[in-house]
Amino acid sequence: MKVRIADVIFDAKQRTLSHVNGSRKLEPKVFTLLTTLLDAPGEIVTRDQLIALVWNNRVVGDGAINRTVSLLRNHFLALTTESVIETVPTQGYRLVAQTELIENTRYHSINNAISDDRQPSEKNQINKTLLPSTLVITILASIIIALLSWFFYPKYQQQSALVTTLLNDPLIGLKGWEYDISTTATGNKILFHHQAEDDPQQVYIYDTNTHKKQAILNNARAAINAKGDAVLFAQKNDLTCSFNVFNIENQKVEHLFNCDDVPSKLAWKDSSHFYFNKRLSKSHPYQIFNYDVATHRLMQVSNPKSNNNLKGDFNFAHNPDTQQLAILRYLNENQTELIVHHTDSSEEKHTINKRITSLAWSPQTNSIILADRSTLYHYLLDTQELNVIKQLEIDINSLAVATIDQNHYLLLSSKQVTSDIMRYNIDDNTQHIWQQSAGVELLPRSANGNELILSTRYKNHHFWQIENNEPTLLDIELPFELQFTRYELSPDGDNILLTNLGASYEIDLNKKSISQLFTKQHNSYVSNYYANQTDKIIYSSNKSGQWQLWLFDRINKEHRQMTHSGGYSGRVLNNTLYFSKYSLDGLWSKSIDSQEEQLLIKDFSLLNWLNWQLIDDDIYFYRANSGIWQYSITDKQATLLMALPDNFIHQYAVIPDEKVILWVKLRPVEGDIYQYQLTTTPTN
C-alpha cells in the first residue's frame, strides 16, 4: 500500500516516508502509530486507543506515547512543511493532512488483519491510458542522464550507509542516571558516571567480559584511556580543584595540576596527552586545551568567539587512528559548527543545521556519528552529507565507539529529565506541587491573574496557560520551533515577549497570533517590558561590540542605547533603570537621563538574568546556596523569603501579590547505557 499524506508518500510495505527532500525509515512503534491514525483520518484517536492499538494494552506512561508521536512528527517535519498531526489537548491526536491512496492494492489495516475482498473504487484505479509522447521522451531522457551520472559519479562519493542493531536493552541499567561514557580501544572496559537520588555521584568501570562494575571515584569527571590501564579525572572539593591520573592496576593517584573548575568534557589523546575544555569565567565560552603529562605543557587548541556564546566548544572526540580532533561548537539553537583539527595543525569547519549535542568518530573513513536530542546521524566529511542512521525513543547524552574482533559497536548513554512546578506560600512557608506531568515543566510566569508555563508534556516545548490550576495548550502557529526560551508576560497578562535568533517577537494571547517587533539584525537576547508600558521594550544586545541595554520605542520604531558600561537585563521604576551585566555579578541602578551608575546589590548572581523581578518597591532575586531574596529599594534591606529547597534549578516567579513563589523542582534524572552493533550497507 502506498498513500500520499500531504506531499509525502507513505510506503507501508517498505515502512518508509519519501519526498523530494529525502526519505525516512519508520521505527516499528512509529509505523504502527501512523497506520492507526490512517485508519481514522480526521478523527480523534485517544491516548487510551493508542495504548490498545499501538502498545497492545501494555502498561505504558505518557512519556512513551509523547516520544512516539514526537518521532513521527519529526519524520514529517524533515520532509514537508505541511501540518500532518494535530494534538487535541487532553483528548488525543488526529491526522489532519489530506490523504490519497495512490497504489492499486487493497488496504489492510495493520491493527486489524481482516481481509477485504471489495473492489477498489474507481478513483483509486491505476490510470492505464497511454502516456503522452512528450512525457515518454522526458522519462527516457531522465533515465539516460541518471545512467550517465552513475557512470561518471566520483568514486569517493560512493559511500556505505551505517546501520545499527540494538544488542542490549539496556547494557547497563542502574537505578538513577548513567552518563558520559568512554571506552578502551577493544571495548573490554567502559567507564561511566552515575548519579542516583540522595547518593553521591560516582565513576564506575564496567568489564564487558565479566559484566561486573567497580566504583573507583566520587564526585569527579573522568575518562579511561585506550589501553584501559589509566583513568584521567578532574575533581573539585571545598578547597581545591585538580587534574589527576588514577592507575587502575595499583589503585594509586598521580596529581597533575590544579584547576579553577571541573571541565564539562575530557578525553585522552594518547598515553601521555589529553584534551579538556574550560572557560575563563562564567561569561566566556568553553575552549579546548591539550596537556602533555610528560612535559607538563598546556596548549590552547581552540578559541571560539564570546559573543553570546557561553557554551562555546562544548564537546569533542579524538580519533586514535588518524589523530584528528573533532569539536562541536555551539552557534545557536538551530545550528552547530563541526571543526576538525588535523595533524598538520590545519582545520576544516562544517556548519550543521541542527542542534547537535554528541559525537563519536565512525569506524568508516573520514566520517563522524552525530546526535541531537534523539536522532543518530552519519556525517561524511568529504561530501558534507548528513544522513539519518536511526531515530530513537530516548534522549541521547553521550556516544562512544569500540572495535572488538573487527566488529564495530556504538555505546550510547541516555537521559530522561522531568520536573515539577511547586507553589510556595511565603506567609506560612508551606508548599505543594502545582504543575506535574511526564515531561519537563519550566519557567512559570504570572501577571494580572494570568499564569503561564513552558512544558514538554505533549510535544516539544510549548506554552501552556493555567486557569484554576488546570493547563490548556496555547495552540499558536509560530514561525520557528519553540525550544527552551526566556520569555515575559506583559503587565496586563495579555502578551508574551520573547526573542529568537536575535529577533524580538510578541504573542497576543487574546488573538492567538504572533508578530515580529524587530528583526534579528539588532541581535536582541534578554527582553523586558518598560515599567508598566507595552509600547517600549528594554533588550540586551551586543551589536555595539559589548553587551549593552537598548530601548525600543514601538510607536516611533526607534532604537536607543541605554547603557555604555555594560548591561544585560534591565527594568525601570520611577525613571530609574535597574540592571545586571553580562560578565559581572551584581545589580546596578542609574537614572534614565544619566550615565552615572551605582552598585545596588553586590551578591547578585549572573544567573538572575533569567528570573529577577521588580514588583512595586521590591526586587526579587536568587542567591546561590541560600535561596530567593527580597530587596527593598526604600529601606535598602535584603530579606530571605524562601530558603534554598532540594532540587531547585533557579527558575521561579513571584506572583504580583507577593504572597506566592512558583519554582521549578527537578525530579531524579533517569538514564541507561545501550549497545548497538554497527554495520555498513552499500548505498550506490
Side-chain angles (χ1 to χ4, degrees), residues 102-117:
I102 61 174
E103 186 176 84
N104 189 23
T105 56
R106 288 188 292 273
Y107 178 71
H108 295 271
S109 169
I110 301 302
N111 313 297
N112 179 351
I114 300 175
S115 176
D116 185 356
D117 293 327

Side-chain angles (χ1 to χ4, degrees), residues 276-296:
F276 68 97
N277 67 349
K278 74 170 184 175
R279 52 185 180 181
L280 301 178
S281 71
K282 295 178 182 178
S283 60
H284 284 76
Y286 279 103
Q287 302 167 322
I288 310 295
F289 291 83
N290 180 11
Y291 185 79
D292 188 324
V293 177
T295 65
H296 305 291

Side-chain angles (χ1 to χ4, degrees), residues 619-668:
I619 294 171
Y620 294 91
F621 66 100
Y622 162 73
R623 277 180 174 160
N625 304 318
S626 61
I628 298 175
W629 291 70
Q630 177 191 60
Y631 178 88
S632 171
I633 296 174
T634 302
D635 300 335
K636 301 188 184 309
Q637 296 292 324
T639 305
L640 178 64
L641 286 188
M642 186 182 82
L644 187 66
D646 293 335
N647 302 318
F648 177 69
I649 57 173
H650 62 261
Q651 291 183 33
Y652 65 93
V654 179
I655 290 182
D657 64 9
E658 303 182 75
K659 295 181 180 179
V660 171
I661 299 174
L662 305 174
W663 63 276
V664 178
K665 180 177 183 178
L666 181 69
R667 294 208 296 265

Side-chain angles (χ1 to χ4, degrees), residues 163-174:
V163 178
T164 60
T165 303
L166 181 63
L167 297 182
N168 303 88
D169 190 15
L171 174 66
I172 304 173
L174 307 179

Side-chain angles (χ1 to χ4, degrees), residues 324 337-342 346-350 366 379 381-382 384:
Q324 293 170 298
E337 189 169 57
L338 173 64
I339 305 167
V340 179
H341 283 259
H342 301 289
S346 64
E347 67 177 32
E348 56 180 288
K349 295 183 178 180
H350 305 257
N366 216 28
Y379 186 72
L381 294 171
D382 290 335
Q384 299 185 22

